């Protein structure tokens, strides 16, 4: 029976990976920062899951969780300055424990630096101190660490805007007015498109890579299902919930760098992701695992979407 080490195990991408690995009969070593938080998550109560408490930058905690495992799912916190120490610790301790395979999740377009290594991307702030360029560069550094580490098998998954961005609490860092007045507030031009990803697909592909390392090894997969305008997203939310949802574009003067997802709104105004979508289509054909549409993902998790979008009464 194979056992896999999953870092940041209370995160949605890690939980999706755990869910799909458990379906294969695998065992899980789940590293969590807080056992108390883990107790509130049903899937982590499964008899196939063993919990380990500790930080991802703590070598002893990581090594303990990694022992006896065949593969590791590397999930890092997207904070430049913290992300690389996390990745390096998990990689080094996993190798000491004898792990042979690694799967990591970064972000779409990481492998296309000409998309983000320019002055325009550097001018877009994701916090007061950090630019969107810094964010992508950190993701690129994670990918490079994974590739050169010497694992027998490595796979990189690159999701776009994950569907949980339209649910609490993540909506507050993406579309904060959606929860308050059913308004999808954004900075996208009408024809700007952003790539979408179902979080469950990340887990599905991660589990498949562990199950069939020969097929997935040395692959970097653009894991995005659709390239959508904000009008299309708004219409999708309305169909799924049966509630009135409005889309409103705001001017750049109202941009708040502390609303993380808004950086991608500005970026989408100056980028065309057509080539990324072509790579995603090729990946689905190659691996035989179709990506899930945003509408299907939100429909599956409709109860959580309904909790996010209020009913707006007409005057």
């Amino acid at each position: 029976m194979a056992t896999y080490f999953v870092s940041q195990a209370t995160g949605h991408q890690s939980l999706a990976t755990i869910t799909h690995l458990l379906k294969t009969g695998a065992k899980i070593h789940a590293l969590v920062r807080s056992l108390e938080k883990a107790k509130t998550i049903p899937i982590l109560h499964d008899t196939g899951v063993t919990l380990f408490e500790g930080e991802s930058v703590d070598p002893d905690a990581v090594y303990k969780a990694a022992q006896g495992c065949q593969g590791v799912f590397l999930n890092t916190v997207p904070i430049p300055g913290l992300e690389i120490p996390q990745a390096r610790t998990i990689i080094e301790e996993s190798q000491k424990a004898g792990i042979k395979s690694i799967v990591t999740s970064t972000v779409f377009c990481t492998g296309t630096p000409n998309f983000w290594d320019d002055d325009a991307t550097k001018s877009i702030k994701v916090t007061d101190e950090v630019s969107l360029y810094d964010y992508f560069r950190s993701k690129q550094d994670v990918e490079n660490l994974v590739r050169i580490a010497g694992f027998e098998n490595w796979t990189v998954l690159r999701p776009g805007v994950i569907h949980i961005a339209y649910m609490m609490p993540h909506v507050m860092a993406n579309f904060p007015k959606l929860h308050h007045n059913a308004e999808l507030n954004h900075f996208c031009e009408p024809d700007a498109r952003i790539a979408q990803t179902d979080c469950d697909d990340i887990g599905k592909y991660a589990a498949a890579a562990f199950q069939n390392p020969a097929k997935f090894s040395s692959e970097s997969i653009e894991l995005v299902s659709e390239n959508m305008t904000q009008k299309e997203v708004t219409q999708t939310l309305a169909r799924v919930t049966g509630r009135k949802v409005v889309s409103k574009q705001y001017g750049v003067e109202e941009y708040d760098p502390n609303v993380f997802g808004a950086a991608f709104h500005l970026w989408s105004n100056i980028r065309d992701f057509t080539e990324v979508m072509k790579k995603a289509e090729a990946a689905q054909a190659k691996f035989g695992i179709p990506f899930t549409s945003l509408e299907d993902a939100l429909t599956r998790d409709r109860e959580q979407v309904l909790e996010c979008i209020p009913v707006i009464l007409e005057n």
Side-chain angles (χ1 to χ4, degrees):
M1 186 72 67
T3 303
Y4 298 97
F5 167 34
V6 178
S7 66
Q8 304 288 340
T10 58
H12 285 268
Q13 297 185 53
S14 293
L15 290 171
T17 299
I18 290 170
T19 298
H20 282 280
L21 284 172
L22 288 173
K23 290 177 181 178
T24 71
K27 301 294 185 181
I28 304 296
H29 285 188
L31 182 64
V32 300
R33 294 182 64 193
S34 167
L35 289 176
E36 288 303 311
K37 180 178 180 180
K39 290 177 182 178
T40 68
I41 302 173
I43 193 68
L44 296 181
H45 294 200
D46 189 280
T47 56
V49 177
T50 302
L51 296 174
F52 296 82
E53 188 173 34
E55 298 285 346
S56 294
V57 291
D58 179 350
D60 292 337
V62 172
Y63 180 71
K64 185 178 180 181
Q67 287 184 296
C69 296
Q70 287 71 55
V72 54
F73 179 70
L74 172 61
N75 187 13
T76 54
V77 176
I79 301 175
L82 175 61
E83 192 163 37
I84 299 308
Q86 283 185 328
R88 186 175 287 116
T89 301
I90 292 168
I91 288 170
E92 291 175 355
E93 299 308 314
S94 293
Q95 290 187 307
K96 287 180 185 177
I99 287 178
K100 304 299 183 184
S101 299
I102 185 169
V103 177
T104 191
S105 176
T106 57
V107 70
F108 77 125
C109 296
T110 300
T112 315
N114 61 295
F115 264 47
W116 49 264
D117 189 357
D118 62 359
D119 290 340
T121 307
K122 291 175 182 178
S123 72
I124 300 173
K125 298 295 184 181
V126 294
T127 70
D128 291 332
E129 296 81 24
V130 178
S131 72
L132 190 58
Y133 163 83
D134 297 323
Y135 171 82
F136 275 106
R137 181 59 187 268
S138 185
K139 294 298 184 184
Q140 183 188 58
D141 288 345
V142 170
E143 290 192 8
N144 288 338
L145 285 173
V146 167
R147 289 193 189 93
I148 68 175
F151 289 97
E152 289 184 10
N153 307 291
W154 61 262
T155 306
V156 173
L157 306 177
R158 296 177 178 148
V161 175
I162 301 175
H163 83 290
I164 58 174
Y166 308 102
M167 304 176 193
M168 290 293 290
H170 306 280
V171 72
M172 302 309 294
N174 291 278
F175 307 96
K177 294 191 177 184
L178 187 62
H179 177 59
H180 295 297
N181 59 4
E183 176 188 294
L184 194 74
N185 58 303
H186 61 85
F187 298 89
C188 298
E189 296 296 336
D191 59 348
R193 294 180 176 274
I194 303 181
Q196 310 287 322
T197 299
D198 176 13
C199 191
D200 189 67
D201 286 348
I202 299 171
K204 192 181 301 181
Y205 263 76
F210 285 129
Q211 293 295 298
N212 194 347
K215 184 174 184 178
F216 285 85
S217 186
S218 303
E219 295 283 354
S220 298
I221 301 170
E222 299 289 347
L223 209 164
V224 290
S225 62
E226 296 172 283
N227 202 19
M228 302 176 72
T229 66
Q230 295 308 298
K231 180 179 179 180
E232 290 170 341
V233 172
T234 302
Q235 292 170 339
T236 299
L237 288 166
R239 284 196 300 272
V240 169
T241 62
R243 294 177 178 174
K244 181 179 180 181
V245 183
V246 298
S247 172
K248 184 174 180 180
Q249 179 185 353
Y250 284 78
V252 68
E253 67 279 359
E254 297 185 70
Y255 174 72
D256 180 359
N258 295 305
V259 179
F260 174 78
F264 287 90
H265 303 172
L266 297 179
W267 197 54
S268 71
N269 290 334
I270 56 173
R271 292 292 179 265
D272 180 350
F273 302 120
T274 301
E275 291 304 313
V276 175
M277 298 309 301
K278 289 180 180 178
K279 292 178 181 179
E281 291 170 4
Q284 293 175 84
K286 180 174 183 177
F287 299 111
I289 306 174
F291 297 155
T292 307
S293 69
L294 178 63
E295 184 157 354
D296 285 347
L298 295 178
T299 299
R300 182 193 63 234
D301 296 331
R302 183 172 183 268
E303 291 305 312
Q304 293 169 265
V305 183
L306 287 171
E307 290 174 1
C308 179
I309 300 176
V311 176
I312 304 299
L313 299 177
E314 300 286 354
N315 292 326

